[in-house]
Amino acid sequence: MLVIILIIVGIVLIDLILIFCLVWVIDKIWTEAKVNPKKTKYIISFLFIILIIAGGFGIKKLFYERSPYHFWYDILKKNSIPFNISQEEFEKKNREGYCWRDRRYYTKKELWHKAMKSLTERMIFENSLFWNDDVLDANGVKRWTSSDCKSQNNCRVWRIPLNLNNQELKKHIEVEEGENYMEKIEELINTDKAQSYVTLDQNFINDDFKLENFILIQSNSGAEIYGNNCCSILSKSEWSMISKNYILDSTKSDIGTFVEEAKIPEKININSWGVGNFYLSTNYFIAGNKKTLSKNRNNVFYLNNCGDVLYKPFYFKKY
């Protein structure tokens, strides 16, 4: 409570200081205008130029933070250009697969661990939309999902150190029509050393995801299951050989969580920005009865050179 009060007091003090400075500047300009009208004209012109530049930065920031390029600029920030590096060198090493943030190149195995953590972070972000009631139904109407998150201990991501692949997990949780599959899910999440993530707290941030074998369960309105063979890193050439079988999902949707339009700017070489040299292919399934389990989901995500997942747009497999 004391911290909140101090923050409020701090905000008020900063506002008062800014107002005082503004009044002082206006008073000085007004005084100068009476003495030297010509000089005042230049001062006002200079302030107007500053206002235009500041407004331009504000518009640019607003453009970056809103769709359809919100997620794109988010991933660029995670591997941004260092202040002492030329744009030419930055783009050249990006095309070679260099991660500027960590100052190194990564092997596909190393990228797998980083991409799995980033994929989990995407799940946490999606679950936060459930917590914040930002989920839409088929009619585009907001669903009040936060109460379900709280009452059912739901909207979590579970990472469980189990050496089980998708096929073994399907067999484990298979139920007949009308049976409750959640009992099988609870058996898994109650395993020793299972970790659950609700937010990006220190428990998640400090986890290096170096385990070789683990499963992921994303729980919100249902349960998405990722076995230890769920995901693999594809090089640019490997992806190009299979990409014709996939559809890019970038359009606005009226149902779900990632409902906004999300695009990559056209007419740019994404490799020059350190994206698209590698991809993360994911295979998972939705928990439920035999009919539900028979359907595999296969999505492919763009990665940057540091192993961060581009949340959207992403590719899904044609069926």
Side-chain angles (χ1 to χ4, degrees):
M1 188 65 183
L2 179 60
V3 174
I4 295 174
I5 293 173
L6 289 173
I7 291 172
I8 294 172
V9 171
I11 292 172
V12 172
L13 286 175
I14 291 171
D15 288 341
L16 290 173
I17 292 170
L18 290 174
I19 292 170
F20 174 80
C21 291
L22 180 62
V23 171
W24 181 82
V25 170
I26 293 172
D27 180 65
K28 286 293 182 182
I29 293 174
W30 183 255
T31 303
E32 187 67 28
K34 293 178 181 178
V35 178
N36 192 338
K38 187 175 180 180
K39 185 178 179 181
T40 303
K41 181 176 69 174
Y42 292 118
I43 293 174
I44 292 174
S45 298
F46 178 71
L47 291 175
F48 183 69
I49 291 171
I50 292 177
L51 183 63
I52 290 175
I53 294 172
F57 278 112
I59 292 171
K60 184 178 179 183
K61 187 173 187 294
L62 184 66
F63 177 76
Y64 283 3
E65 291 182 352
R66 303 189 97 180
S67 58
Y69 305 112
H70 168 70
F71 295 123
W72 169 254
Y73 287 111
D74 265 356
I75 198 172
L76 292 191
K77 290 176 187 175
K78 294 177 180 178
N79 187 33
S80 57
I81 182 171
F83 74 93
N84 60 337
I85 299 296
S86 69
Q87 186 69 25
E88 183 181 5
E89 183 183 358
F90 177 68
E91 294 187 14
K92 179 179 179 294
K93 296 195 76 170
N94 275 337
R95 289 191 292 272
E96 295 170 354
Y98 190 70
C99 172
W100 290 97
R101 183 184 67 212
D102 302 332
R103 299 284 182 167
R104 56 165 299 183
Y105 296 95
Y106 281 107
T107 65
K108 287 173 70 172
K109 183 176 181 180
E110 290 170 329
L111 277 177
W112 182 86
H113 291 286
K114 291 196 165 286
M116 293 305 294
K117 181 172 183 177
S118 184
L119 177 66
T120 305
E121 186 175 343
R122 183 185 188 274
M123 296 176 187
I124 294 170
F125 174 80
E126 186 174 8
N127 282 356
S128 72
L129 301 178
F130 282 85
W131 280 98
N132 296 329
D133 296 314
D134 289 331
V135 181
L136 303 180
D137 63 19
N139 298 315
V141 177
K142 180 180 286 191
R143 292 171 50 197
W144 301 101
T145 48
S146 59
S147 58
D148 294 332
C149 292
K150 297 169 186 174
S151 63
Q152 300 176 22
N153 194 29
N154 205 358
C155 305
R156 296 174 180 269
V157 181
W158 298 87
R159 191 181 71 142
I160 308 167
L162 291 175
N163 189 12
L164 295 174
N165 59 38
N166 280 351
Q167 293 71 27
E168 292 166 334
L169 283 168
K170 280 186 177 184
K171 186 175 180 180
H172 177 78
I173 67 171
E174 183 180 282
V175 294
E176 298 296 334
E177 192 74 38
E179 292 182 334
N180 185 6
Y181 67 85
M182 282 307 299
E183 293 180 2
K184 301 291 185 72
I185 299 296
E186 287 173 3
E187 289 179 15
L188 295 172
I189 64 179
N190 288 328
T191 305
D192 287 345
K193 297 183 180 180
Q195 295 171 287
S196 68
Y197 305 115
V198 181
T199 60
L200 298 179
D201 58 14
Q202 292 303 312
N203 182 35
F204 175 82
I205 294 170
N206 294 333
D207 195 326
D208 59 11
F209 272 64
K210 289 300 183 184
L211 284 176
E212 293 293 335
N213 288 298
F214 59 86
I215 67 171
L216 291 171
I217 299 177
Q218 182 183 4
S219 174
N220 42 59
S221 58
E224 294 181 1
I225 315 294
Y226 297 74
N228 68 352
N229 66 337
C230 71
C231 309
S232 59
I233 302 294
L234 303 175
S235 66
K236 182 181 175 182
S237 58
E238 289 171 330
W239 165 242
S240 66
M241 294 174 63
I242 62 171
S243 59
K244 64 182 179 181
N245 300 317
Y246 289 78
I247 300 172
L248 182 65
D249 184 2
S250 61
T251 57
K252 184 176 180 179
S253 170
D254 291 328
I255 183 171
T257 50
F258 289 88
V259 295
E260 67 270 43
E261 184 180 30
K263 291 183 177 181
I264 294 173
E266 297 178 0
K267 298 180 181 179
I268 65 168
N269 181 344
I270 63 173
N271 302 137
S272 295
W273 293 95
V275 180
N277 290 308
F278 303 97
Y279 296 79
L280 178 67
S281 176
T282 66
N283 288 279
Y284 66 97
F285 61 92
I286 307 295
N289 55 40
K290 292 181 180 179
K291 185 177 180 181
T292 305
L293 293 179
S294 65
K295 297 178 181 179
N296 274 336
R297 271 73 172 178
N298 180 205
N299 295 333
V300 175
F301 296 92
Y302 289 92
L303 291 179
N304 68 9
N305 294 338
C306 303
D308 300 303
V309 168
L310 175 62
Y311 288 3
K312 189 181 177 180
F314 62 90
Y315 291 88
F316 61 91
K317 186 77 174 285
K318 297 178 184 177
Y319 289 106

